[in-house]
Amino acid sequence: MMDTTDIDEEHTNKLEAWKMNWVEHHFPWHMSEVNQCLQQYKTRILDDIPIDSNRNTKVCLPMCGKALELLWFAQQGCEVIGIEISEIAVKDFFKDNKLEYLIDKSNELYILYRCKTLKISLYVCDVLLINRVLGDDCQFDIVFDRHALGALSEGERKVYWKCLEKTMSSPDVRYITVCLEYDKPDHKGAPYNTPKSHLQHIIGDKFLLEELGRFHFVKIPWYCEEVMHLALRK
């Protein structure tokens, strides 16, 4: 079984394949607009989070690519942290949005790109190393996961969730995941089918799972995007 210090060959190969997709400019999952669930459920996602007046709402986007949601959350006044293995994707995000940045290469685990004008920090690293990269005391108010779970195999998902769970101990934390569900038995590999029942199996009983809505993924008609809201049980 994989853990965060001994990543198996399958995962390592997947990381290399992911980076090659960006080299070859092949990223069909990237959307040219902000995910519609953020617009539709903005109030539910952002409102009523009890935040200390001395800090911003802290949001994490795992396996973020160059997603426009990074910019959207920052424009709502959030402090945004993205985790992405492809440095090309990270550079593209800043270039596409005409944002200046600083680079920190002082740590062997990651390269940090920090926006000069907005509270956006993008870490070029393996998402399964998030606790080592950000520190065990790092806590988020919101985790927005669009298709990260769907990119991971069943074994990887368990490790991934264990890592993220450590960053979500605040009583009012919310985890928003956009999962893919489809009925296509001949489809092999990522993106993996992630129905609500499978998600519930991964997260266990600690979090309350609620389906907010479903959308058709416009680029691939037989995909259905399920928007799930997770909160700690009171």
Side-chain angles (χ1 to χ4, degrees):
M1 179 178 294
M2 291 180 295
D3 59 37
T4 55
T5 59
D6 184 22
I7 302 170
D8 74 359
E9 184 177 354
E10 176 198 3
H11 183 66
T12 301
N13 290 340
K14 187 174 292 183
L15 293 180
E16 293 305 313
W18 182 268
K19 287 189 285 187
M20 187 55 63
N21 282 331
W22 288 95
V23 171
E24 297 175 347
H25 205 72
H26 176 70
F27 34 83
W29 56 85
H30 176 72
M31 303 297 291
S32 59
E33 57 187 21
V34 172
N35 192 278
Q36 57 188 321
C37 80
L38 291 183
Q39 304 288 357
Q40 186 163 338
Y41 304 112
K42 177 182 176 180
T43 301
R44 182 69 182 277
I45 294 171
L46 288 176
D47 287 3
D48 302 322
I49 297 180
I51 299 298
D52 188 305
S53 60
N54 294 321
R55 72 176 182 89
N56 301 80
T57 300
K58 198 169 185 177
V59 182
C60 176
L61 283 78
M63 299 176 69
C64 60
K66 59 175 183 176
L68 291 177
E69 289 82 5
L70 294 161
L71 183 60
W72 185 87
F73 275 111
Q75 290 172 338
Q76 311 309 310
C78 300
E79 177 186 352
V80 181
I81 293 178
I83 308 294
E84 171 57 46
I85 192 62
S86 169
E87 190 170 6
I88 291 175
V90 170
K91 288 181 176 179
D92 279 357
F93 168 78
F94 287 101
K95 179 181 178 181
D96 292 352
N97 295 289
K98 298 179 174 58
L99 296 171
E100 295 184 345
Y101 57 86
L102 300 172
I103 307 177
D104 181 354
K105 297 185 177 183
S106 62
N107 194 297
E108 62 180 13
L109 288 179
Y110 62 83
I111 302 173
L112 173 59
Y113 283 71
R114 192 185 302 275
C115 182
K116 288 185 177 182
T117 54
L118 295 169
K119 291 183 179 295
I120 302 175
S121 300
L122 303 187
Y123 290 80
V124 180
C125 65
D126 178 4
V127 70
L128 299 189
L129 300 179
I130 185 172
N131 303 126
R132 291 174 61 189
V133 168
L134 300 180
D136 290 333
D137 59 345
C138 178
Q139 294 294 311
F140 297 114
D141 302 297
I142 300 171
V143 175
F144 181 72
D145 173 342
R146 178 184 175 268
H147 297 182
L149 273 172
L152 301 171
S153 66
E154 184 174 354
E156 291 171 305
R157 289 175 182 180
K158 293 177 181 178
V159 179
Y160 169 76
W161 178 253
K162 183 178 179 181
C163 294
L164 279 185
E165 192 174 15
K166 292 179 181 178
T167 70
M168 298 189 295
S169 62
S170 168
D172 297 287
V173 68
R174 55 203 64 176
Y175 175 86
I176 310 299
T177 179
V178 182
C179 295
L180 289 174
E181 183 173 0
Y182 54 83
D183 183 16
K184 198 171 179 64
D186 59 337
H187 178 75
K188 306 297 182 183
Y192 297 96
N193 190 23
T194 316
K196 182 178 179 180
S197 59
H198 184 72
L199 183 58
Q200 186 68 70
H201 176 70
I202 294 172
I203 67 174
D205 298 327
K206 186 176 178 180
F207 285 79
L208 183 65
L209 175 61
E210 176 188 359
E211 181 178 320
L212 295 182
R214 290 170 173 253
F215 304 93
H216 286 293
F217 187 41
V218 294
K219 290 189 175 183
I220 306 177
W222 45 273
Y223 282 175
C224 177
E225 289 190 323
E226 288 185 300
V227 184
M228 302 291 185
H229 177 281
L230 282 71
L232 284 169
R233 293 183 183 274
K234 301 296 185 179

